[in-house]
Amino acid sequence: MKEDNVMFEELNCCKLCPRNCKVNRNNNEVGYCKATNQVKVGRAALHLWEEPCLSGQEGSGTVFFSYCNLGCIYCQNSEISTENKGKVVTIERLADIYLELQNQGANNINLVTPTHYIPQIKQSLIIAKSKGLTIPIVYNTSSYENVEALKLLEGLIDIYLPDLKYTRDDLAINYSHAPNYFSFANSAIEEMYRQVGTPIFNKNGIMLKGVIVRHLILPGEINDSKKVIKYLYDTYQDNIFISIMNQYTVVKQLEYPNLNRSVTDIEYQSIIDYALDIGIKNGFIQEGETDKSSFIPSFNGEGV
């Protein structure tokens, strides 16, 4: 991939995310996320477990990228985020993957954990669109982003699907090794909203453009969840959708006792009630036993 070394100058001194590692990824140097200039993908397949307006009946065309610039100790996708599982693909192959998912009937192309590959993704989207890619592009992120990097994608992304995980910095540091997470995430979501604006849907209720902010409730951290939700509603009102998630899954024993259990029904209902009380109308909630490991995708290289 020598051509990529020339093409992606941003990787000569990587500052794509708030880590600002400044390593030369074109020279195989790695920073916090451990990614070089080569794109690695763990899975590319239709996914039915996203929000209804993304998955629909046909599925969301999810592309799970390996490595991650965050560092959540409770990560459900650790096989690809920290254990290096995945297959290296060229930019041309990545573009073809999008087209293959479109041909399978995907409602959109869903780029999962894409931050550290922004320059490569930009080029792959340009190539794919020139070959006939027409379905919406979803940028699915933790929100630990630099605004300047997000601006590289302007005009290429239709739907932003960011997390807003915490307001408290101690939680961000302890649980995700991410200092100043709230500040960076706020700025990132503002930029995402600036780029794509208010939601647009087709006649079947599938989102074509807009922002859905996800919040994963953590056991024992209900007060911070309420602060996250209130901030989002106070800032954006009904111009975005808020997805309140109860799918926290215990994948290993952690040093924080509260994280070694699932979110209780009482905790989750209290957050739903709070959201309704403050006036949220545009939102999604989860039902059923979503905290089971069976809901975690198999990163077996499918579609790569």
Side-chain angles (χ1 to χ4, degrees), residues 155-167:
L156 294 171
I157 305 299
D158 302 287
I159 299 166
Y160 277 103
L161 185 60
D163 294 337
L164 189 57
K165 293 181 177 293
Y166 323 100
T167 67

Side-chain angles (χ1 to χ4, degrees), residues 104-115:
Q104 292 171 32
N107 287 311
N108 45 63
I109 299 300
N110 188 342
L111 308 170
V112 184
T113 321
T115 307

Side-chain angles (χ1 to χ4, degrees), residues 153-190:
L153 296 169
E154 186 163 7
L156 294 171
I157 305 299
D158 302 287
I159 299 166
Y160 277 103
L161 185 60
D163 294 337
L164 189 57
K165 293 181 177 293
Y166 323 100
T167 67
R168 286 169 43 192
D169 205 42
D170 62 320
L171 298 184
I173 292 170
N174 292 340
Y175 296 166
S176 295
H177 304 106
N180 300 310
Y181 171 85
F182 187 59
S183 176
F184 282 111
N186 285 348
S187 297
I189 293 170
E190 287 175 9

Side-chain angles (χ1 to χ4, degrees), residues 54-238:
L54 298 179
S55 287
Q57 297 297 315
E58 300 78 11
S60 176
T62 50
V63 181
F64 287 90
F65 292 99
S66 302
Y67 305 110
C68 182
N69 71 313
L70 212 53
C72 300
I73 60 175
Y74 50 81
C75 180
Q76 297 178 19
N77 297 344
S78 59
E79 282 185 89
I80 55 173
S81 65
T82 59
E83 296 172 22
N84 306 335
K85 198 169 183 179
K87 180 180 178 181
V88 172
V89 297
T90 64
I91 304 305
E92 291 76 14
R93 174 59 191 147
L94 187 56
D96 286 343
I97 287 172
Y98 306 153
L99 293 166
E100 290 167 8
L101 289 168
Q102 178 174 263
N103 290 338
Q104 292 171 32
N107 287 311
N108 45 63
I109 299 300
N110 188 342
L111 308 170
V112 184
T113 321
T115 307
H116 46 294
Y117 292 129
I118 283 177
Q120 298 99 313
I121 286 171
K122 177 179 180 178
Q123 187 62 27
S124 69
L125 288 172
I126 291 171
I127 292 171
K129 286 174 182 287
S130 74
K131 292 182 176 182
L133 181 67
T134 58
I135 56 178
I137 309 301
V138 181
Y139 188 90
N140 185 337
T141 173
S142 70
S143 299
Y144 204 45
E145 306 270 3
N146 276 340
V147 168
E148 291 306 310
L150 289 174
K151 288 180 178 179
L152 297 173
L153 296 169
E154 186 163 7
L156 294 171
I157 305 299
D158 302 287
I159 299 166
Y160 277 103
L161 185 60
D163 294 337
L164 189 57
K165 293 181 177 293
Y166 323 100
T167 67
R168 286 169 43 192
D169 205 42
D170 62 320
L171 298 184
I173 292 170
N174 292 340
Y175 296 166
S176 295
H177 304 106
N180 300 310
Y181 171 85
F182 187 59
S183 176
F184 282 111
N186 285 348
S187 297
I189 293 170
E190 287 175 9
E191 171 62 18
M192 295 172 193
Y193 179 72
R194 184 193 70 79
Q195 287 187 22
V196 301
T198 54
I200 298 173
F201 299 85
N202 69 13
K203 62 181 180 180
N204 297 318
I206 299 298
M207 181 175 274
L208 302 177
K209 208 170 187 70
V211 177
I212 303 172
V213 182
R214 288 174 164 175
H215 175 65
L216 176 66
I217 298 174
L218 296 178
E221 304 295 357
I222 302 308
N223 288 337
D224 197 60
S225 287
K226 291 179 179 178
K227 291 178 182 178
V228 167
I229 291 167
K230 188 174 191 307
Y231 166 79
L232 288 170
Y233 189 63
D234 286 349
T235 305
Y236 299 101
Q237 294 293 302
D238 294 320

Side-chain angles (χ1 to χ4, degrees), residues 267-298:
E267 287 175 318
Y268 189 51
Q269 189 61 50
S270 72
I271 297 301
I272 295 172
D273 291 344
Y274 178 78
L276 293 172
D277 287 344
I278 64 175
I280 293 176
K281 297 183 179 65
N282 290 347
F284 297 100
I285 60 174
Q286 293 181 317
E287 297 179 353
E289 297 181 336
T290 58
D291 62 336
K292 304 303 182 185
S293 60
S294 60
F295 283 83
I296 300 173
S298 176

